[in-house]
mmCIF file of all heavy atoms in Angstrom:
data_model
loop_
_atom_site.group_PDB
_atom_site.id
_atom_site.type_symbol
_atom_site.label_atom_id
_atom_site.label_comp_id
_atom_site.label_asym_id
_atom_site.label_seq_id
_atom_site.Cartn_x
_atom_site.Cartn_y
_atom_site.Cartn_z
ATOM 1 N N SER A 16 -4.083 6.989 9.396
ATOM 2 C CA SER A 16 -5.318 6.720 8.661
ATOM 3 C C SER A 16 -5.319 5.369 7.952
ATOM 4 O O SER A 16 -6.373 4.886 7.529
ATOM 5 C CB SER A 16 -5.555 7.833 7.623
ATOM 6 O OG SER A 16 -4.479 7.929 6.727
ATOM 7 N N VAL A 17 -4.135 4.768 7.771
ATOM 8 C CA VAL A 17 -4.076 3.514 7.037
ATOM 9 C C VAL A 17 -3.567 2.348 7.887
ATOM 10 O O VAL A 17 -3.527 1.200 7.420
ATOM 11 C CB VAL A 17 -3.197 3.634 5.766
ATOM 12 C CG1 VAL A 17 -3.686 4.779 4.899
ATOM 13 C CG2 VAL A 17 -1.718 3.793 6.104
ATOM 14 N N LYS A 18 -3.164 2.629 9.116
ATOM 15 C CA LYS A 18 -2.651 1.568 9.990
ATOM 16 C C LYS A 18 -3.669 0.464 10.162
ATOM 17 O O LYS A 18 -4.853 0.736 10.400
ATOM 18 C CB LYS A 18 -2.290 2.143 11.341
ATOM 19 C CG LYS A 18 -0.929 2.816 11.390
ATOM 20 C CD LYS A 18 -0.626 3.338 12.798
ATOM 21 C CE LYS A 18 0.696 4.085 12.838
ATOM 22 N NZ LYS A 18 0.978 4.650 14.175
ATOM 23 N N GLY A 19 -3.212 -0.763 10.046
ATOM 24 C CA GLY A 19 -4.105 -1.898 10.175
ATOM 25 C C GLY A 19 -4.819 -2.296 8.907
ATOM 26 O O GLY A 19 -5.452 -3.357 8.843
ATOM 27 N N ARG A 20 -4.761 -1.448 7.880
ATOM 28 C CA ARG A 20 -5.424 -1.743 6.603
ATOM 29 C C ARG A 20 -4.428 -1.902 5.476
ATOM 30 O O ARG A 20 -4.632 -2.701 4.559
ATOM 31 C CB ARG A 20 -6.430 -0.638 6.263
ATOM 32 C CG ARG A 20 -7.525 -0.456 7.287
ATOM 33 C CD ARG A 20 -8.589 0.506 6.780
ATOM 34 N NE ARG A 20 -8.047 1.834 6.552
ATOM 35 C CZ ARG A 20 -8.119 2.466 5.374
ATOM 36 N NH1 ARG A 20 -8.676 1.858 4.331
ATOM 37 N NH2 ARG A 20 -7.634 3.684 5.237
ATOM 38 N N PHE A 21 -3.353 -1.089 5.506
ATOM 39 C CA PHE A 21 -2.353 -1.106 4.437
ATOM 40 C C PHE A 21 -1.086 -1.762 4.955
ATOM 41 O O PHE A 21 -0.714 -1.626 6.128
ATOM 42 C CB PHE A 21 -2.016 0.303 3.987
ATOM 43 C CG PHE A 21 -3.121 1.010 3.243
ATOM 44 C CD1 PHE A 21 -4.412 0.523 3.181
ATOM 45 C CD2 PHE A 21 -2.857 2.213 2.603
ATOM 46 C CE1 PHE A 21 -5.405 1.182 2.495
ATOM 47 C CE2 PHE A 21 -3.843 2.908 1.922
ATOM 48 C CZ PHE A 21 -5.125 2.381 1.873
ATOM 49 N N THR A 22 -0.387 -2.442 4.048
ATOM 50 C CA THR A 22 0.904 -3.026 4.363
ATOM 51 C C THR A 22 1.875 -2.703 3.258
ATOM 52 O O THR A 22 1.607 -2.920 2.063
ATOM 53 C CB THR A 22 0.787 -4.549 4.497
ATOM 54 O OG1 THR A 22 -0.167 -4.883 5.517
ATOM 55 C CG2 THR A 22 2.145 -5.162 4.871
ATOM 56 N N ILE A 23 3.033 -2.165 3.640
ATOM 57 C CA ILE A 23 4.084 -1.872 2.669
ATOM 58 C C ILE A 23 5.170 -2.940 2.807
ATOM 59 O O ILE A 23 5.530 -3.333 3.931
ATOM 60 C CB ILE A 23 4.668 -0.452 2.876
ATOM 61 C CG1 ILE A 23 5.642 -0.092 1.759
ATOM 62 C CG2 ILE A 23 5.326 -0.311 4.249
ATOM 63 C CD1 ILE A 23 6.060 1.369 1.753
ATOM 64 N N PHE A 24 5.658 -3.403 1.699
ATOM 65 C CA PHE A 24 6.777 -4.344 1.731
ATOM 66 C C PHE A 24 7.582 -4.164 0.431
ATOM 67 O O PHE A 24 7.085 -3.579 -0.535
ATOM 68 C CB PHE A 24 6.285 -5.788 1.902
ATOM 69 C CG PHE A 24 5.316 -6.296 0.873
ATOM 70 C CD1 PHE A 24 5.722 -7.135 -0.143
ATOM 71 C CD2 PHE A 24 3.942 -5.977 0.974
ATOM 72 C CE1 PHE A 24 4.814 -7.605 -1.086
ATOM 73 C CE2 PHE A 24 3.042 -6.461 0.024
ATOM 74 C CZ PHE A 24 3.472 -7.258 -0.998
ATOM 75 N N ARG A 25 8.795 -4.671 0.451
ATOM 76 C CA ARG A 25 9.667 -4.479 -0.684
ATOM 77 C C ARG A 25 10.431 -5.753 -1.009
ATOM 78 O O ARG A 25 10.695 -6.558 -0.117
ATOM 79 C CB ARG A 25 10.610 -3.310 -0.468
ATOM 80 C CG ARG A 25 11.611 -3.468 0.658
ATOM 81 C CD ARG A 25 12.353 -2.180 0.991
ATOM 82 N NE ARG A 25 13.326 -1.813 -0.024
ATOM 83 C CZ ARG A 25 14.058 -0.687 0.033
ATOM 84 N NH1 ARG A 25 13.893 0.153 1.003
ATOM 85 N NH2 ARG A 25 14.953 -0.419 -0.931
ATOM 86 N N ASP A 26 10.777 -5.867 -2.277
ATOM 87 C CA ASP A 26 11.637 -6.933 -2.755
ATOM 88 C C ASP A 26 12.929 -6.273 -3.189
ATOM 89 O O ASP A 26 12.964 -5.615 -4.246
ATOM 90 C CB ASP A 26 10.936 -7.665 -3.923
ATOM 91 C CG ASP A 26 11.762 -8.834 -4.436
ATOM 92 O OD1 ASP A 26 12.994 -8.788 -4.354
ATOM 93 O OD2 ASP A 26 11.152 -9.805 -4.915
ATOM 94 N N ASN A 27 13.965 -6.383 -2.396
ATOM 95 C CA ASN A 27 15.210 -5.671 -2.677
ATOM 96 C C ASN A 27 15.932 -6.250 -3.907
ATOM 97 O O ASN A 27 16.694 -5.536 -4.546
ATOM 98 C CB ASN A 27 16.126 -5.714 -1.464
ATOM 99 C CG ASN A 27 15.579 -4.918 -0.313
ATOM 100 O OD1 ASN A 27 14.893 -3.886 -0.521
ATOM 101 N ND2 ASN A 27 15.840 -5.339 0.896
ATOM 102 N N VAL A 28 15.672 -7.515 -4.229
ATOM 103 C CA VAL A 28 16.306 -8.081 -5.410
ATOM 104 C C VAL A 28 15.672 -7.464 -6.663
ATOM 105 O O VAL A 28 16.373 -7.100 -7.597
ATOM 106 C CB VAL A 28 16.119 -9.620 -5.417
ATOM 107 C CG1 VAL A 28 16.634 -10.195 -6.747
ATOM 108 C CG2 VAL A 28 16.848 -10.214 -4.241
ATOM 109 N N LYS A 29 14.354 -7.316 -6.635
ATOM 110 C CA LYS A 29 13.650 -6.723 -7.783
ATOM 111 C C LYS A 29 13.621 -5.215 -7.708
ATOM 112 O O LYS A 29 13.129 -4.564 -8.652
ATOM 113 C CB LYS A 29 12.229 -7.274 -7.863
ATOM 114 C CG LYS A 29 12.148 -8.756 -8.152
ATOM 115 C CD LYS A 29 10.675 -9.184 -8.251
ATOM 116 C CE LYS A 29 10.569 -10.670 -8.579
ATOM 117 N NZ LYS A 29 9.126 -11.118 -8.645
ATOM 118 N N ASN A 30 14.083 -4.649 -6.581
ATOM 119 C CA ASN A 30 14.052 -3.171 -6.407
ATOM 120 C C ASN A 30 12.621 -2.655 -6.569
ATOM 121 O O ASN A 30 12.396 -1.620 -7.253
ATOM 122 C CB ASN A 30 15.000 -2.498 -7.407
ATOM 123 C CG ASN A 30 15.750 -1.345 -6.755
ATOM 124 O OD1 ASN A 30 15.730 -1.165 -5.537
ATOM 125 N ND2 ASN A 30 16.455 -0.566 -7.573
ATOM 126 N N THR A 31 11.698 -3.345 -5.972
ATOM 127 C CA THR A 31 10.285 -3.044 -6.103
ATOM 128 C C THR A 31 9.651 -2.908 -4.722
ATOM 129 O O THR A 31 9.934 -3.699 -3.813
ATOM 130 C CB THR A 31 9.557 -4.138 -6.906
ATOM 131 O OG1 THR A 31 10.129 -4.189 -8.221
ATOM 132 C CG2 THR A 31 8.074 -3.828 -7.027
ATOM 133 N N VAL A 32 8.795 -1.907 -4.584
ATOM 134 C CA VAL A 32 8.052 -1.731 -3.360
ATOM 135 C C VAL A 32 6.569 -1.910 -3.664
ATOM 136 O O VAL A 32 6.097 -1.551 -4.742
ATOM 137 C CB VAL A 32 8.303 -0.348 -2.742
ATOM 138 C CG1 VAL A 32 7.838 0.780 -3.632
ATOM 139 C CG2 VAL A 32 7.659 -0.233 -1.363
ATOM 140 N N TYR A 33 5.875 -2.501 -2.708
ATOM 141 C CA TYR A 33 4.466 -2.816 -2.865
ATOM 142 C C TYR A 33 3.642 -2.139 -1.783
ATOM 143 O O TYR A 33 4.162 -1.903 -0.681
ATOM 144 C CB TYR A 33 4.216 -4.313 -2.808
ATOM 145 C CG TYR A 33 5.044 -5.112 -3.800
ATOM 146 C CD1 TYR A 33 6.321 -5.598 -3.480
ATOM 147 C CD2 TYR A 33 4.534 -5.395 -5.059
ATOM 148 C CE1 TYR A 33 7.052 -6.314 -4.387
ATOM 149 C CE2 TYR A 33 5.277 -6.132 -5.996
ATOM 150 C CZ TYR A 33 6.545 -6.593 -5.636
ATOM 151 O OH TYR A 33 7.279 -7.318 -6.546
ATOM 152 N N LEU A 34 2.381 -1.891 -2.064
ATOM 153 C CA LEU A 34 1.463 -1.413 -1.061
ATOM 154 C C LEU A 34 0.193 -2.259 -1.159
ATOM 155 O O LEU A 34 -0.556 -2.117 -2.125
ATOM 156 C CB LEU A 34 1.143 0.073 -1.259
ATOM 157 C CG LEU A 34 0.286 0.714 -0.163
ATOM 158 C CD1 LEU A 34 1.073 0.778 1.160
ATOM 159 C CD2 LEU A 34 -0.180 2.108 -0.574
ATOM 160 N N GLN A 35 0.013 -3.108 -0.191
ATOM 161 C CA GLN A 35 -1.199 -3.918 -0.134
ATOM 162 C C GLN A 35 -2.240 -3.128 0.637
ATOM 163 O O GLN A 35 -2.038 -2.771 1.799
ATOM 164 C CB GLN A 35 -0.917 -5.257 0.583
ATOM 165 C CG GLN A 35 -2.148 -6.122 0.754
ATOM 166 C CD GLN A 35 -2.708 -6.638 -0.572
ATOM 167 O OE1 GLN A 35 -1.953 -7.029 -1.459
ATOM 168 N NE2 GLN A 35 -4.021 -6.614 -0.700
ATOM 169 N N MET A 36 -3.372 -2.850 -0.007
ATOM 170 C CA MET A 36 -4.398 -2.032 0.583
ATOM 171 C C MET A 36 -5.656 -2.870 0.744
ATOM 172 O O MET A 36 -6.221 -3.353 -0.233
ATOM 173 C CB MET A 36 -4.689 -0.827 -0.307
ATOM 174 C CG MET A 36 -3.452 0.003 -0.630
ATOM 175 S SD MET A 36 -3.812 1.501 -1.568
ATOM 176 C CE MET A 36 -4.384 0.781 -3.103
ATOM 177 N N ASN A 37 -6.063 -3.054 2.015
ATOM 178 C CA ASN A 37 -7.262 -3.838 2.316
ATOM 179 C C ASN A 37 -8.308 -2.952 2.977
ATOM 180 O O ASN A 37 -7.999 -1.871 3.474
ATOM 181 C CB ASN A 37 -6.920 -4.985 3.267
ATOM 182 C CG ASN A 37 -5.928 -5.979 2.668
ATOM 183 O OD1 ASN A 37 -5.908 -6.195 1.465
ATOM 184 N ND2 ASN A 37 -5.116 -6.559 3.525
ATOM 185 N N ASN A 38 -9.529 -3.412 2.948
ATOM 186 C CA ASN A 38 -10.635 -2.680 3.557
ATOM 187 C C ASN A 38 -10.640 -1.205 3.097
ATOM 188 O O ASN A 38 -10.699 -0.280 3.931
ATOM 189 C CB ASN A 38 -10.564 -2.750 5.078
ATOM 190 C CG ASN A 38 -11.794 -2.227 5.764
ATOM 191 O OD1 ASN A 38 -12.879 -2.171 5.163
ATOM 192 N ND2 ASN A 38 -11.670 -1.852 6.998
ATOM 193 N N LEU A 39 -10.579 -1.041 1.803
ATOM 194 C CA LEU A 39 -10.498 0.322 1.247
ATOM 195 C C LEU A 39 -11.771 1.127 1.505
ATOM 196 O O LEU A 39 -12.881 0.568 1.506
ATOM 197 C CB LEU A 39 -10.213 0.245 -0.247
ATOM 198 C CG LEU A 39 -8.744 -0.069 -0.580
ATOM 199 C CD1 LEU A 39 -8.611 -0.609 -2.001
ATOM 200 C CD2 LEU A 39 -7.894 1.193 -0.391
ATOM 201 N N LYS A 40 -11.590 2.382 1.710
ATOM 202 C CA LYS A 40 -12.671 3.310 2.003
ATOM 203 C C LYS A 40 -12.731 4.381 0.926
ATOM 204 O O LYS A 40 -11.718 4.666 0.289
ATOM 205 C CB LYS A 40 -12.466 3.966 3.357
ATOM 206 C CG LYS A 40 -12.311 2.973 4.516
ATOM 207 C CD LYS A 40 -11.986 3.695 5.810
ATOM 208 C CE LYS A 40 -11.802 2.721 6.965
ATOM 209 N NZ LYS A 40 -11.503 3.419 8.234
ATOM 210 N N PRO A 41 -13.877 4.995 0.728
ATOM 211 C CA PRO A 41 -13.964 6.064 -0.264
ATOM 212 C C PRO A 41 -12.948 7.186 -0.040
ATOM 213 O O PRO A 41 -12.413 7.742 -1.011
ATOM 214 C CB PRO A 41 -15.395 6.607 -0.096
ATOM 215 C CG PRO A 41 -16.144 5.408 0.397
ATOM 216 C CD PRO A 41 -15.192 4.673 1.287
ATOM 217 N N GLU A 42 -12.585 7.450 1.212
ATOM 218 C CA GLU A 42 -11.598 8.488 1.503
ATOM 219 C C GLU A 42 -10.167 8.087 1.108
ATOM 220 O O GLU A 42 -9.254 8.900 1.217
ATOM 221 C CB GLU A 42 -11.652 8.917 2.958
ATOM 222 C CG GLU A 42 -11.565 7.772 3.965
ATOM 223 C CD GLU A 42 -12.936 7.309 4.435
ATOM 224 O OE1 GLU A 42 -13.894 7.202 3.603
ATOM 225 O OE2 GLU A 42 -13.066 7.027 5.652
ATOM 226 N N ASP A 43 -9.982 6.835 0.714
ATOM 227 C CA ASP A 43 -8.671 6.421 0.206
ATOM 228 C C ASP A 43 -8.505 6.766 -1.285
ATOM 229 O O ASP A 43 -7.418 6.598 -1.823
ATOM 230 C CB ASP A 43 -8.491 4.890 0.356
ATOM 231 C CG ASP A 43 -8.431 4.459 1.805
ATOM 232 O OD1 ASP A 43 -7.761 5.141 2.611
ATOM 233 O OD2 ASP A 43 -9.067 3.428 2.146
ATOM 234 N N THR A 44 -9.557 7.256 -1.908
ATOM 235 C CA THR A 44 -9.481 7.633 -3.309
ATOM 236 C C THR A 44 -8.453 8.750 -3.486
ATOM 237 O O THR A 44 -8.513 9.793 -2.820
ATOM 238 C CB THR A 44 -10.854 8.127 -3.811
ATOM 239 O OG1 THR A 44 -11.782 7.017 -3.765
ATOM 240 C CG2 THR A 44 -10.746 8.684 -5.209
ATOM 241 N N ALA A 45 -7.474 8.507 -4.366
ATOM 242 C CA ALA A 45 -6.394 9.458 -4.558
ATOM 243 C C ALA A 45 -5.457 8.952 -5.679
ATOM 244 O O ALA A 45 -5.567 7.811 -6.112
ATOM 245 C CB ALA A 45 -5.578 9.643 -3.287
ATOM 246 N N ASP A 46 -4.589 9.827 -6.065
ATOM 247 C CA ASP A 46 -3.482 9.431 -6.936
ATOM 248 C C ASP A 46 -2.314 9.014 -6.029
ATOM 249 O O ASP A 46 -1.888 9.802 -5.175
ATOM 250 C CB ASP A 46 -3.059 10.590 -7.836
ATOM 251 C CG ASP A 46 -2.019 10.188 -8.829
ATOM 252 O OD1 ASP A 46 -2.270 9.273 -9.631
ATOM 253 O OD2 ASP A 46 -0.923 10.771 -8.809
ATOM 254 N N TYR A 47 -1.866 7.789 -6.194
ATOM 255 C CA TYR A 47 -0.821 7.257 -5.329
ATOM 256 C C TYR A 47 0.521 7.276 -6.090
ATOM 257 O O TYR A 47 0.622 6.738 -7.203
ATOM 258 C CB TYR A 47 -1.157 5.804 -4.927
ATOM 259 C CG TYR A 47 -2.228 5.719 -3.861
ATOM 260 C CD1 TYR A 47 -3.565 6.039 -4.176
ATOM 261 C CD2 TYR A 47 -1.910 5.350 -2.559
ATOM 262 C CE1 TYR A 47 -4.541 5.980 -3.199
ATOM 263 C CE2 TYR A 47 -2.899 5.288 -1.584
ATOM 264 C CZ TYR A 47 -4.203 5.595 -1.923
ATOM 265 O OH TYR A 47 -5.172 5.531 -0.933
ATOM 266 N N CYS A 48 1.514 7.892 -5.446
ATOM 267 C CA CYS A 48 2.840 7.990 -6.028
ATOM 268 C C CYS A 48 3.844 7.308 -5.139
ATOM 269 O O CYS A 48 3.753 7.395 -3.908
ATOM 270 C CB CYS A 48 3.250 9.443 -6.177
ATOM 271 S SG CYS A 48 2.419 10.342 -7.497
#
């Protein structure tokens, strides 16, 4: 459902993960954990 719109990447030095979400749709509405 998110392929082509979302990108996950991480910075291992900062121990941080990111989720870039583009072309968001109303059905993407949610609590993200």
Side-chain angles (χ1 to χ4, degrees):
S16 59
V17 306
K18 280 182 182 177
R20 300 188 299 122
F21 290 11
T22 302
I23 188 170
F24 57 102
R25 64 191 287 178
D26 183 330
N27 292 328
V28 174
K29 295 182 178 179
N30 221 9
T31 299
V32 63
Y33 304 90
L34 186 68
Q35 177 67 41
M36 305 185 294
N37 298 328
N38 190 21
L39 283 160
K40 304 176 181 181
E42 52 264 41
D43 294 318
T44 295
D46 185 59
Y47 285 71
C48 287

